[in-house]
Amino acid sequence: MELTEHVTLKRKLAEVICQRMIEEINKLGLKVNEVPHYPNYDDASFVLIKDPYTGQQNLACYWYDPNNRQRIGRLQFNSDETFYAEYDVAKTHPAKARWFVEGITAWGNADNIKAEAKLLPMPS
């Protein structure tokens, strides 16, 4: 299967995963202008990565900051039908001053999508 076929085949699930990560970002209570970009499947760069265990090709999606091309997120679909995603937020938590929001992670499969914010304690 070629890259474009993988991208098309995973589109529906990827869009649901992106929406779930956006919901987690919004639950934090950040103001709209505080988050310059959200994960959007169509904004990702796509590559195929060989699974070292199965030998199958897995789709990996990468998001980059448009200003400096620094990677800000990724979503990888595994050959066992699971996925793992992370997306940078890099903001002080708006309601918990002692916490820093590193990003959002999402994992699971099509029937069970889990997501949460990755929080780090602020240095004292």
Side-chain angles (χ1 to χ4, degrees):
M1 189 180 324
E2 293 185 27
L3 177 61
T4 54
E5 292 172 290
H6 279 275
V7 171
T8 301
L9 184 63
K10 297 296 185 189
R11 174 173 292 284
K12 184 176 178 182
L13 177 56
E15 288 175 347
V16 172
I17 295 165
C18 287
Q19 184 58 43
R20 183 71 176 85
M21 289 192 296
I22 290 169
E23 289 169 6
E24 285 299 313
I25 292 170
N26 291 340
K27 277 183 11 183
L28 293 168
L30 295 165
K31 294 179 177 37
V32 174
N33 61 349
E34 290 182 288
V35 183
H37 36 72
Y38 286 89
N40 179 327
Y41 190 60
D42 289 326
D43 294 339
S45 297
F46 305 100
V47 296
L48 293 177
I49 298 174
K50 185 176 181 177
D51 183 319
Y53 182 70
T54 66
Q56 295 180 6
Q57 296 291 325
N58 294 335
L59 179 63
C61 316
Y62 297 102
W63 289 283
Y64 296 92
D65 183 298
N67 299 321
N68 59 20
R69 290 295 296 167
Q70 181 178 3
R71 192 169 86 183
I72 57 173
R74 73 180 175 104
L75 165 59
Q76 182 167 325
F77 293 97
N78 302 312
S79 52
D80 66 355
E81 301 301 318
T82 63
F83 69 88
Y84 178 79
E86 55 188 5
Y87 198 82
D88 293 347
V89 175
K91 300 283 180 193
T92 301
H93 195 292
K96 301 176 184 176
R98 299 181 139 204
W99 291 94
F100 181 79
V101 182
E102 181 182 8
I104 302 295
T105 57
W107 66 96
N109 58 43
D111 297 324
N112 188 15
I113 298 173
K114 298 180 181 180
E116 67 183 7
K118 293 187 331 186
L119 303 178
L120 300 171
M122 294 287 275
S124 326

